[in-house]
Amino acid sequence: MTVDYADVVIAGGGIAGASAACKLAAGGLSVVLLEKQEEYRDLVRGEWLAPWGIREAQRLGVYDCFGAGGGWEIREWMTWDEAVTEDEVEAVDMTRFIPGIGGPMSFPHHQVCELMAAQAADSGARLVLDAARVSVTPGREPVVTYQTAEGPQEIRARMVLGATGRGNTVGRQIGVRMRNSMHHWGGGMMVEGMAGWPADVQAMGTEGDVMFMVFPQGYGRARLYLNFPTVNKLRYRGPGGVERFLAAFELDCLPDRGKAVTEAVPAGPLSVWPSVSSVPEGPPLAEGVVLIGDEAGNADTVLGTGLSCALRDSRTVCDILLGGDDWSPGAFAPYLEERDFRLERLDFGASIISRLHVEFGPAAVARRRRVRKLMAKNFAAQVTGLLNMVAPEDVPEFGFSEFFAERLFRETA
């Protein structure tokens, strides 16, 4: 067995792990980045970065990877919905929320990760692809073992960052338990040939028993998402699943009944999943090991803030590692405090959005109509929507109270 040494080993080469590798290697630390894929490919991951996440990418020094990897600015948000009449549909300007940043960015996840990993390697990190069976033993000198085509490998490090995503590979090994909850299922697929769709407009809405999202990536490409009831979890699986997924966008609320989407051509795999919120029951770390990104806990994917959180985690932890020699668990108290605050707000906001947009039937339609009227009368009622644009700490506190939720969803105005 080959035994190596490094300052930091990062398990997981996604957005969180690869961005951390870039920052730490550029800061002069010896870094090993382990990625289980032999090559980066489309695995249907989040591909939408909020304006506050773009600011985090700039602070980490990885912003150029998004642009070079196909990043596409989305400038407007349209809500087409069975609860919205044609004359009520309006475009929301998403470029105005954070001065100097612009609108959110949509991009091919795997291409950006590949460029980040290459940037990390150019800065001196060692990238190991096809790293299987990663095992982490925490301690003052944590040990990481993994398997490659050359056989078993071992690295002794000062610190391990667990960034393996929702699979929680490292977290489970160091004893971090998650409190999971699920409201609905989701699915996603890349398509091309959407020339009839406005290139800088993202859309969402609910009709029948689906909540849809369309995120253009330029040049007729887009990532499509559906959220749907758990009773329909098998609807888009098996033979004909892709066709059924595209056909679900044939909706009365969409322009031309969604023809621009239903006639699109699949350009990647279709994936479906339980949309799970995971909150750690204790601190997401152990001696010598810190979790970042989805592995440290995540809100429901309906909110779309997972990648922004991954970059915030990466920056915060890297700043601690580069800021001094104290890498003990206590040194990460500021990270844990901020992350707990952030996840609590995001989880609350996601529950509001799920209840409002991913519940179905006549009562749910009536609820959305009532809430729209309330929001039209009182702008403050729209506060939860800010979570898609600005950082959680910049959203007014009253939007995270049970009183706010009760006022939003009460049966009468």
Side-chain angles (χ1 to χ4, degrees), residues 131-148:
R133 300 177 186 174
V134 174
S135 176
V136 176
T137 303
R140 296 189 65 180
E141 186 182 74
V143 177
V144 179
T145 61
Y146 61 97
Q147 190 83 22
T148 68

Side-chain angles (χ1 to χ4, degrees), residues 158-357:
R158 291 181 61 198
M159 176 60 62
V160 176
L161 300 185
T164 66
R166 292 173 180 263
N168 203 31
T169 301
V170 175
R172 284 185 281 106
Q173 293 177 12
I174 65 171
V176 175
R177 296 182 179 274
M178 292 290 176
R179 183 175 69 255
N180 298 320
S181 60
M182 183 184 67
H183 182 268
H184 54 270
W185 274 60
M189 183 173 66
M190 174 66 71
V191 296
E192 56 189 16
M194 282 184 54
W197 188 273
D200 60 352
V201 174
Q202 72 176 42
M204 64 171 283
T206 306
E207 181 176 314
D209 60 0
V210 295
M211 183 265 201
F212 67 89
M213 298 177 176
V214 179
F215 297 108
Q217 293 188 2
Y219 311 103
R221 292 174 66 88
R223 179 69 74 181
L224 307 177
Y225 293 102
L226 290 177
N227 293 296
F228 45 91
T230 58
V231 294
N232 293 340
K233 64 182 182 180
L234 301 179
R235 175 179 290 177
Y236 306 108
R237 294 184 180 273
V242 169
E243 292 75 15
R244 291 190 295 274
F245 185 87
L246 287 175
F249 286 84
E250 186 175 334
L251 301 168
D252 290 335
C253 66
L254 281 172
D256 204 12
R257 301 201 73 239
K259 183 177 180 180
V261 182
T262 59
E263 294 186 353
V265 179
L270 168 64
S271 181
V272 296
W273 55 81
S275 196
V276 175
S277 168
S278 298
V279 178
E281 294 183 341
L285 85 174
E287 188 173 25
V289 182
V290 177
L291 308 183
I292 60 175
D294 281 347
E295 184 147 29
N298 51 80
D300 192 304
T301 56
V302 73
L303 195 57
T305 55
L307 295 182
S308 299
C309 279
L311 292 169
R312 169 70 67 85
D313 289 354
S314 176
R315 179 183 63 82
T316 305
V317 169
C318 287
D319 285 348
I320 293 171
L321 293 174
L322 293 171
D325 293 329
D326 182 4
W327 290 8
S328 67
F332 295 92
Y335 165 63
L336 298 180
E337 182 179 358
E338 186 277 329
R339 196 180 204 284
D340 284 347
F341 169 85
R342 174 169 27 112
L343 185 56
E344 182 179 8
R345 286 197 160 195
L346 293 175
D347 197 45
F348 186 89
S351 69
I352 295 288
I353 292 174
S354 293
R355 184 178 175 191
L356 186 58
H357 296 288

